[in-house]
Amino acid sequence: MITDWIPQYKLLEKSYQEKLDAQYQTLDTDEIKAVYENVYLNPKHVDMSSIREVPFVRPAELERDMLEDIAYQAMAEGQVAILLMAGGQGTRLEHQGPKGTFSFEGRSLFELQAAQLQAFEEKVKTPLQWYIMTSDINHEETLKFFEDHHHFGLAPENIHFFRQEHFPALSKEGELLIDERKDIMLTPNGNGGIFGALKRSGMLDDMKSRGIAHVFMNNVDNVVVKVADPLLVGLHIQNDNEVTSKSITPKPGESVGRLCLVNGEKSVVEYTELPEGQGDAFKNGNIGIHMFSTGFLEKAADVRMPYHLALKKLEHMNRTLKVVKEEGLKFEKFYFDAFRHAKTHMTLQVDRKGEFSPLKNKVGKDSIETAYRDLTDEGLI
């Protein structure tokens, strides 16, 4: 019953009850209950006894010209697409709007990446399809930003927007939260929801209809990302991989996830979960740059991905309908949990310089200042 999930339901006016009824009917309460019990009440921990370094190659070991030629040929044949994760806001930067709209010397993060796609199009004489995952909080703003900037010179029909999916936030007692608009509170279901969102939005079918076989994925906030890096693309295609990842050597104590083999399967392990005292022994930091085959994307979309718990201060209405900001439960999927289903995978370890400079904070580490410095050093602005 809805009152088991929303105790304050009976205190609401009939119009709000009807609205909640409609929202409640769309929820899979069996799944929500199972996630609450398995992730919050009875969490299972990964067995780290068999964790091993993931095999990797360095650029110097590869035949760069040959691999880049493979990449350019695949691009020219329309087989390569770009998948951008851009669902975040610029809140921590004190920037109003989607993070991708943050600008350095008049050039937004979106524009910096669009310019790279434009350069490839000019080289291979074929447009690259660009799939961009937004979120409910920034979808409309993102679309308007692209329209206002004339899609940065790219053809609008080659840019495809779709939204990240959601999962209900819960109280520590396992009840649904309602926000101050008296709606059931839904929060983004994490970057691991990208596979299901691609399928349910029709984007995966769109890729297949266009003959796309290889997809490059990256985050919007790596300001120096080499979009569709031909070396990575060529390596992925030549080896017929399902997943090919870029990594960097982490700094001592750097709290970045590590690409590892867990029980022989490729994964990413958070720094805090690594065996005590062994954190710096694993030399492949995950920087969120991966190549996927479309066959793997289909497989990942159908896999039941595990949820992970995030404790967050959430503004909601308590049992007496007072608006409070208290710690609640958010549940998120991580894309790398799908890696273990990849039959073939590789890792390319690259230098940090010119490859990875995340924009996370207004000041300090991974900040506006460090991003601006790296953009300037690379001649990108």
Side-chain angles (χ1 to χ4, degrees):
M1 288 182 59
I2 192 169
T3 51
D4 294 333
W5 288 93
I6 307 174
Q8 59 273 64
Y9 176 85
K10 291 181 179 179
L11 302 178
L12 296 168
E13 298 172 8
K14 186 172 178 57
S15 61
Y16 289 117
Q17 289 181 346
E18 290 173 349
K19 181 171 71 164
L20 288 175
D21 283 335
Q23 295 173 2
Y24 178 77
Q25 292 302 318
T26 67
L27 301 179
D28 183 341
T29 53
D30 289 338
E31 181 189 22
I32 296 168
K33 182 179 179 182
V35 169
Y36 172 70
E37 292 176 349
N38 296 334
V39 180
Y40 180 63
L41 294 182
N42 305 297
K44 294 181 178 64
H45 300 285
V46 178
D47 177 12
M48 292 296 170
S49 61
S50 64
I51 186 170
R52 300 287 182 270
E53 180 70 88
V54 69
F56 64 94
V57 295
R58 296 276 301 165
E61 303 168 37
L62 305 174
E63 295 183 50
R64 179 181 289 273
D65 290 345
M66 181 265 290
L67 292 176
E68 291 187 348
D69 285 345
I70 290 173
Y72 291 133
Q73 182 62 35
M75 290 180 190
E77 294 173 1
Q79 296 181 17
V80 179
I82 317 302
L83 177 58
L84 175 65
M85 293 191 289
Q89 288 288 88
T91 309
R92 287 165 63 183
L93 308 175
E94 296 185 10
H95 169 68
Q96 297 294 318
K99 185 180 277 190
T101 65
F102 188 88
S103 299
F104 293 90
E105 295 189 357
R107 302 194 74 193
S108 68
L109 301 185
F110 284 134
E111 182 181 352
L112 290 167
Q113 297 191 23
Q116 296 183 58
L117 270 67
Q118 200 168 37
F120 283 128
E121 290 186 7
E122 291 172 1
K123 182 176 180 66
V124 303
K125 310 303 180 189
T126 303
L128 273 67
Q129 303 301 312
W130 198 11
Y131 297 85
I132 301 176
M133 186 173 77
T134 63
S135 63
D136 280 350
I137 58 173
N138 75 7
H139 184 79
E140 297 302 331
E141 278 189 276
T142 300
L143 266 60
K144 186 175 187 305
F145 190 80
F146 271 74
E147 290 166 1
D148 290 347
H149 291 81
H150 309 289
H151 297 85
F152 310 106
L154 299 171
E157 61 267 24
N158 298 328
I159 306 176
H160 317 275
F161 298 94
F162 65 106
R163 299 183 198 227
Q164 187 173 7
E165 297 181 332
H166 297 81
F167 194 82
L170 301 178
S171 70
K172 292 182 178 179
E173 293 72 40
E175 298 162 356
L176 293 167
L177 300 180
I178 58 173
D179 61 27
E180 60 183 332
R181 298 185 304 273
K182 302 180 180 66
D183 291 317
I184 292 174
M185 183 181 292
L186 302 175
T187 59
N189 69 349
N191 56 39
I194 194 168
F195 305 119
L198 275 172
K199 182 175 182 177
R200 283 181 281 275
S201 66
M203 294 300 163
L204 197 49
D205 284 340
D206 185 82
M207 290 178 179
K208 290 189 295 180
S209 72
R210 296 174 186 272
I212 292 166
H214 319 287
V215 179
F216 176 98
M217 185 183 82
N218 68 285
N219 294 305
V220 74
D221 60 5
N222 179 2
V223 302
V224 296
V225 62
K226 293 178 179 175
V227 179
D229 177 10
L231 183 63
L232 183 71
V233 175
L235 180 67
H236 176 80
I237 295 172
Q238 185 204 37
N239 290 278
D240 196 23
N241 291 331
E242 289 193 314
V243 177
T244 309
S245 306
K246 262 191 185 182
S247 71
I248 58 167
T249 303
K251 298 173 183 176
E254 187 173 9
S255 58
V256 63
R258 305 296 199 265
L259 285 154
C260 298
L261 296 179
V262 179
N263 298 320
E265 297 172 330
K266 186 170 186 174
S267 185
V268 173
V269 179
E270 293 304 322
Y271 181 77
T272 53
E273 296 176 342
L274 290 164
E276 189 173 353
Q278 297 184 36
D280 294 330
F282 295 90
K283 300 300 184 185
N284 285 278
N286 176 41
I287 57 175
I289 297 173
H290 308 278
M291 285 292 304
F292 300 121
S293 68
T294 47
F296 177 79
L297 291 177
E298 285 189 273
K299 188 194 311 185
D302 292 332
V303 166
R304 183 173 284 273
M305 301 270 286
Y307 277 94
H308 299 260
L309 176 67
L311 296 172
K312 299 284 186 180
K313 293 275 190 182
L314 300 173
E315 195 168 276
H316 62 279
M317 301 188 84
N318 67 11
R319 289 189 175 197
T320 63
L321 300 182
K322 179 183 177 183
V323 177
V324 296
K325 190 170 187 177
E326 297 175 344
E327 195 167 67
L329 313 180
K330 287 180 63 177
F331 299 95
E332 300 174 331
K333 297 177 180 179
F334 297 151
Y335 65 79
F336 49 72
D337 283 327
F339 287 1
R340 66 187 183 89
H341 300 285
K343 293 179 180 177
T344 51
H345 57 80
M346 290 184 73
T347 298
L348 173 65
Q349 187 185 86
V350 297
D351 293 335
R352 179 186 302 259
K353 179 174 169 48
E355 296 275 4
F356 184 58
S357 180
L359 177 60
K360 302 289 186 185
N361 306 300
K362 184 177 181 182
V363 296
K365 178 185 174 186
D366 298 337
S367 65
I368 296 171
E369 180 184 2
T370 60
Y372 180 79
R373 178 198 66 205
D374 293 339
L375 283 166
T376 304
D377 287 350
E378 297 303 315
L380 297 174
I381 58 172

